[in-house]
């Protein structure tokens, strides 16, 4: 039991961070506005949670200009995908235990 | 309590994964109507062919132009209806019509379809009418299969049905119009109804 709890990743213990990772697991990349729309959150909220995942090196942020408009897109790193996979497996085990 | 939270997390993950990759506002009703237009168009086309039975159909003939015109009217009516009903359904579901998923559906649908369309027009130019029914069925089927990764699974089965009918149309060339009616008319109505009952009636 202790082992499983260890795999529950605190970094994903929030609805928005969980959402960001879920989207990035199945999409090569996602830009800021797409994520915002999918998750239904405010700019500031999304930015701060993305920042948290970035500081764990689970996602990388790419900033570029499309014409004159700045465009931010997010990509999950290898470590991020691995960590999220472990997290999902831990969740599944915890549920099947009960 | 804790377990419920974990279960909710798993459900959220699943929902986000499918929502971000699949376009779910595709309207089943538009499939049924497209099938209906195709049936009316095909009946009209066969009426045209039978009326001028003793004349050859060539590029310059009036019959040919009328048939081509009918085909384009059916195509535009179907696309227009599909667009209108899909926008309506998207508004109801609170999904944006023009999102990453719908763009993927459209581009993956368009590549085989446009290829097939050009192929069919080139066949017309070479007066090779025999292969037009199978080519349109085959490429339309491939377009459905290709786009189905990003929308409902049923679109995949519709595509496979069209491909089988297209191959049959190559083998049994005399039955081109009949197989075309089965593919664009009956199959659309059938799968459109399945999708309508599965997803639209809520």
């Amino acid at each position: 039991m202790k082992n499983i709890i260890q795999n529950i990743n605190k970094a994903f213990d929030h609805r928005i961070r969980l959402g960001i990772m879920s989207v990035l697991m199945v999409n090569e990349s996602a830009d800021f506005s797409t994520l915002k729309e999918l998750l239904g959150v405010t700019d500031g909220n999304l930015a701060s949670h993305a920042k948290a995942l970035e500081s764990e090196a689970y996602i990388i942020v790419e900033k570029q200009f499309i014409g004159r408009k700045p465009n931010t897109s997010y990509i999950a790193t290898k470590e991020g995908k691995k960590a999220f996979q472990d997290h999902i497996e831990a969740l599944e085990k915890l549920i099947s235990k009960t | 309590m804790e377990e419920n939270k974990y279960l909710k997390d798993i459900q959220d993950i699943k929902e986000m994964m499918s929502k971000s990759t699949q376009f779910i506002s595709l309207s089943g009703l538009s499939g049924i109507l497209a099938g209906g237009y195709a049936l009316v168009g095909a009946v009209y086309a066969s009426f045209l062919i039978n009326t001028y039975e003793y004349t050859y159909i060539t590029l310059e003939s009036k019959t040919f132009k009328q048939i081509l015109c009918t085909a384009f009217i059916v195509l535009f009516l179907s696309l227009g209806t599909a667009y209108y009903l899909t926008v309506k359904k998207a508004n109801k579901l609170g999904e944006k019509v023009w999102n990453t998923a719908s763009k993927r559906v459209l581009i993956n649908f368009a590549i085989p379809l446009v290829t097939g369309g050009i192929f069919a027009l080139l066949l017309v130019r070479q007066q090779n009418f025999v292969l037009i029914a199978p080519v349109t069925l085959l490429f339309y089927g491939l377009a459905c299969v290709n786009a189905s990764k990003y929308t409902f699974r049923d679109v995949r089965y519709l595509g496979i049905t069209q491909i089988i009918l297209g191959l049959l149309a190559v083998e049994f060339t005399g039955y081109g119009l009949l197989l075309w009616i089965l593919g664009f008319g009956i199959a659309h109505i059938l799968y459109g109804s399945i999708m309508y009952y599965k997803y639209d009636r809520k």
Side-chain angles (χ1 to χ4, degrees):
Chain A
M1 193 67 190
K2 215 172 192 179
N3 263 334
I4 300 171
I5 297 280
Q6 273 169 1
N7 277 335
I8 290 287
N9 198 324
K10 276 273 169 273
F12 303 129
D13 199 16
H14 188 282
R15 200 188 68 85
I16 297 174
R17 270 169 275 166
L18 200 75
I20 296 172
M21 280 313 287
S22 307
V23 174
L24 294 179
M25 286 295 277
V26 288
N27 290 280
E28 268 173 67
S29 72
D31 61 20
F32 194 85
S33 56
T34 305
L35 277 177
K36 212 179 88 175
E37 186 202 316
L38 278 167
L39 301 170
V41 289
T42 60
D43 284 20
N45 228 339
L46 178 57
S48 72
H49 285 291
K51 191 121 220 145
L53 288 171
E54 192 192 359
S55 65
E56 297 275 351
Y58 288 160
I59 62 172
I60 45 176
V61 183
E62 269 183 3
K63 286 195 170 117
Q64 56 183 20
F65 280 85
I66 295 179
R68 286 195 165 181
K69 277 167 98 184
N71 183 281
T72 310
S73 59
Y74 300 95
I75 302 159
T77 62
K78 231 184 210 166
E79 299 80 55
K81 284 187 174 174
K82 171 84 176 58
F84 196 64
Q85 197 67 50
D86 291 343
H87 182 70
I88 294 177
E89 276 161 25
L91 286 178
E92 278 172 345
K93 276 186 193 140
L94 278 171
I95 292 165
S96 62
K97 273 245 150 57
T98 56
Chain B
M1 272 318 281
E2 281 290 284
E3 290 84 45
N4 279 341
K5 189 196 164 296
Y6 296 140
L7 197 64
K8 177 87 183 31
D9 278 1
I10 293 267
Q11 280 162 352
D12 281 352
I13 292 168
K14 268 173 112 177
E15 197 203 319
M16 266 310 140
M17 283 181 170
S18 60
K19 209 173 153 190
S20 66
T21 48
Q22 290 195 313
F23 185 63
I24 54 158
S25 292
L26 198 65
S27 158
L29 193 60
S30 66
I32 304 176
L33 287 171
Y37 301 149
L39 283 183
V40 174
V43 168
Y44 183 62
S46 64
F47 164 76
L48 285 176
I49 293 167
N50 288 332
T51 314
Y52 303 97
E53 207 166 358
Y54 303 107
T55 52
Y56 281 108
I57 296 176
T58 59
L59 276 182
E60 285 74 31
S61 72
K62 203 173 141 225
T63 321
F64 175 74
K65 279 175 192 150
Q66 282 173 328
I67 291 174
L68 202 67
C69 206
T70 312
F72 275 108
I73 291 171
V74 168
L75 182 69
F76 285 115
L77 270 179
S78 304
L79 289 176
T81 310
Y83 179 74
Y84 173 74
L85 289 174
T86 299
V87 169
K88 229 175 101 181
K89 192 177 163 189
N91 285 337
K92 215 170 99 190
L93 292 176
E95 190 182 33
K96 267 199 187 158
V97 179
W98 202 234
N99 60 19
T100 323
S102 70
K103 278 180 206 161
R104 279 188 196 141
V105 169
L106 206 65
I107 188 109
N108 285 289
F109 186 68
I111 294 170
L113 196 71
V114 171
T115 312
I118 295 171
F119 191 10
L121 287 175
L122 289 174
L123 286 174
V124 169
R125 220 168 69 111
Q126 294 174 7
Q127 312 237 359
N128 191 345
F129 301 118
V130 175
L131 283 177
I132 290 175
V135 161
T136 47
L137 280 166
L138 279 171
F139 279 89
Y140 180 70
L142 290 170
C144 287
V145 171
N146 208 33
S148 69
K149 275 172 264 174
Y150 307 106
T151 184
F152 297 121
R153 196 89 191 137
D154 309 72
V155 175
R156 193 177 195 82
Y157 302 123
L158 171 66
I160 292 167
T161 310
Q162 308 283 9
I163 292 171
I164 293 168
L165 291 171
L167 289 174
L168 286 173
V170 181
E171 186 62 29
F172 305 102
T173 42
Y175 298 95
L177 189 64
L178 179 71
L179 288 161
W180 207 90
I181 288 172
L182 279 176
F184 286 99
I186 309 292
H188 267 142
I189 293 174
L190 182 71
Y191 286 99
S193 311
I194 294 173
M195 283 172 64
Y196 180 71
Y197 281 105
K198 259 164 103 175
Y199 315 110
D200 291 8
R201 282 199 337 161
K202 273 172 203 164

